[in-house]
């Protein structure tokens, strides 16, 4: 039975796409069958795995519209065991188009029911907003990973996201869990980074992943080569961190 995990935070620049791409690649390397769905109109997760976004004909947009099946949109990535449903350039218009549709929050959930069994993990890279796209992802997901950067305004906006998750649980998806809060962009030399880690762990204790993603130049370079950190530099700190996160998630879900 596949597990659907949304990677969400309405704040931009917290490491959502970096986490989606590299967690997918890490789970793949650990021999799990993974589908990565790019639900962000910026399409960075697609290009981050070497997909030419300009040439995408069928993607997340068509899946949400129900004009194509997920099977028709799936592209094999260069990462072992990782398939991708890329973002289509039209995705930016989907919020307006779905607005008067019945069951508009369930479009992604309905589409994924057909393929859920074929994967161990389905990861959804969400857009940096709490609009209809992210709502579809949270309604379809079994759980959500929330990346939080170790910086000054880290916890700002987190309350809003947690409230959104609560209302999704209440109205659309009672079984939605929080998989964990993931601390990203950690720099051990900065006092602020350490303070944020302490504060988040104090507030949310068990909800925080033990793995912390450290600031790593290689991590920011990899996407420009269309590669995951695993393919780009398997010995880097970034690769070690994401493999560790993947192991933590696998362990948590095998209990």
């Amino acid at each position: 039975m596949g597990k659907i995990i949304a990677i969400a935070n309405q704040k931009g620049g917290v490491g959502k796409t970096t986490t989606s791409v590299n967690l997918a690649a890490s789970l793949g390397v650990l021999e799990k069958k993974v589908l990565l769905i790019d639900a962000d109109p910026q399409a960075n997760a697609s290009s981050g795995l070497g997909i030419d976004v300009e040439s995408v004909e069928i993607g997340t947009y068509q899946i949400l519209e129900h004009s194509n099946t997920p099977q028709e949109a799936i592209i094999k990535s260069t990462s072992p065991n990782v398939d991708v449903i890329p973002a289509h350039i039209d995705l930016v218009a989907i919020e307006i188009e779905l607005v008067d549709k019945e069951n508009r929050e369930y479009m992604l959930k309905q589409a994924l029911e057909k393929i859920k069994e074929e994967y161990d993990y389905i990861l959804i890279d969400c857009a940096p907003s709490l609009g209809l796209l992210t709502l579809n992802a949270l309604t379809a997901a079994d759980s959500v990973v929330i990346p939080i950067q170790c910086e000054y305004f880290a916890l700002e906006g987190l309350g809003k996201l947690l409230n959104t998750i609560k209302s999704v649980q209440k109205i659309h998806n009672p079984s939605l869990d929080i998989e964990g809060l993931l601390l990203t962009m950690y720099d051990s030399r900065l006092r602020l980074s350490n303070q944020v880690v302490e504060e988040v762990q104090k507030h949310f204790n068990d909800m925080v992943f033990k793995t912390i993603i450290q600031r790593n130049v290689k991590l920011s370079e990899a996407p420009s080569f269309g590669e995951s950190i695993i393919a780009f530099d398997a010995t880097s700190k970034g690769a070690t961190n994401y493999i560790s996160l993947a192991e933590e998630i696998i362990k948590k879900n095998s209990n």
Side-chain angles (χ1 to χ4, degrees):
M1 178 79 171
K3 178 160 198 184
I4 302 177
I5 302 177
I7 293 151
N9 189 332
Q10 78 276 24
K11 275 186 80 159
V14 296
K16 267 192 307 291
T17 301
T18 304
T19 295
S20 304
V21 167
N22 294 312
L23 177 57
S26 301
L27 288 165
V29 166
L30 296 171
E31 301 190 336
K32 299 293 177 190
K33 201 164 184 303
V34 184
L35 174 64
L36 174 60
I37 299 172
D38 193 345
D40 181 351
Q42 295 172 58
N44 292 342
S46 308
S47 58
L49 279 174
I51 289 162
D52 174 16
V53 181
E54 299 296 314
S55 65
V56 169
E57 285 177 15
I58 303 169
T60 319
Y61 173 80
Q62 285 76 7
I63 308 306
L64 283 159
E65 279 273 289
H66 289 190
S67 53
N68 288 87
T69 65
Q71 287 91 332
E72 292 171 309
I74 288 169
I75 296 175
K76 285 229 163 306
S77 83
T78 49
S79 238
N81 300 320
V82 180
D83 290 348
V84 182
I85 292 182
H88 187 274
I89 202 86
D90 293 342
L91 192 57
V92 75
I94 196 79
E95 309 240 334
I96 300 157
E97 289 178 26
L98 288 182
V99 112
D100 48 5
K101 286 222 163 124
E102 213 180 322
N103 291 334
R104 59 179 183 258
E105 295 92 352
Y106 297 92
M107 301 301 265
L108 188 59
K109 184 183 175 70
Q110 290 162 1
L112 294 182
E113 270 159 13
K114 306 178 188 73
I115 57 164
K116 195 174 173 180
E117 302 302 320
E118 293 170 31
Y119 292 93
D120 296 310
Y121 292 96
I122 296 176
L123 305 181
I124 308 171
D125 183 29
C126 295
S129 75
L130 292 177
L132 202 45
L133 256 178
T134 299
L135 203 52
N136 259 277
L138 293 175
T139 302
D142 299 304
S143 68
V144 54
V145 167
I146 304 171
I148 299 172
Q149 85 283 43
C150 296
E151 281 164 15
Y152 186 62
F153 291 116
L155 297 178
E156 199 185 71
L158 186 59
K160 206 173 179 184
L161 178 61
L162 293 173
N163 285 339
T164 300
I165 290 169
K166 270 203 195 98
S167 67
V168 170
Q169 286 166 329
K170 210 161 37 204
I171 304 164
H172 306 296
N173 184 0
S175 58
L176 179 66
D177 265 337
I178 291 179
E179 188 75 28
L181 305 179
L182 176 67
L183 290 156
T184 62
M185 305 180 195
Y186 173 73
D187 185 339
S188 57
R189 295 165 306 182
L190 298 179
R191 207 167 110 228
L192 179 64
S193 265
N194 293 305
Q195 282 171 338
V196 171
V197 170
E198 273 171 39
E199 199 175 333
V200 172
Q201 287 172 340
K202 191 175 78 194
H203 276 289
F204 299 102
N205 45 48
D206 289 350
M207 285 163 68
V208 187
F209 284 111
K210 288 183 178 61
T211 304
I212 294 177
I213 309 297
Q214 290 161 300
R215 223 177 240 296
N216 179 245
V217 176
K218 291 281 199 296
L219 264 182
S220 40
E221 286 174 353
S224 58
F225 292 87
E227 289 182 339
S228 74
I229 189 65
I230 311 296
F232 185 64
D233 185 350
T235 61
S236 67
K237 213 181 267 178
T240 318
N241 289 167
Y242 276 109
I243 289 282
S244 157
L245 175 66
E247 287 171 339
E248 203 174 327
I249 287 175
I250 291 168
K251 190 175 166 201
K252 188 175 175 184
N253 288 292
S254 61
N255 294 344

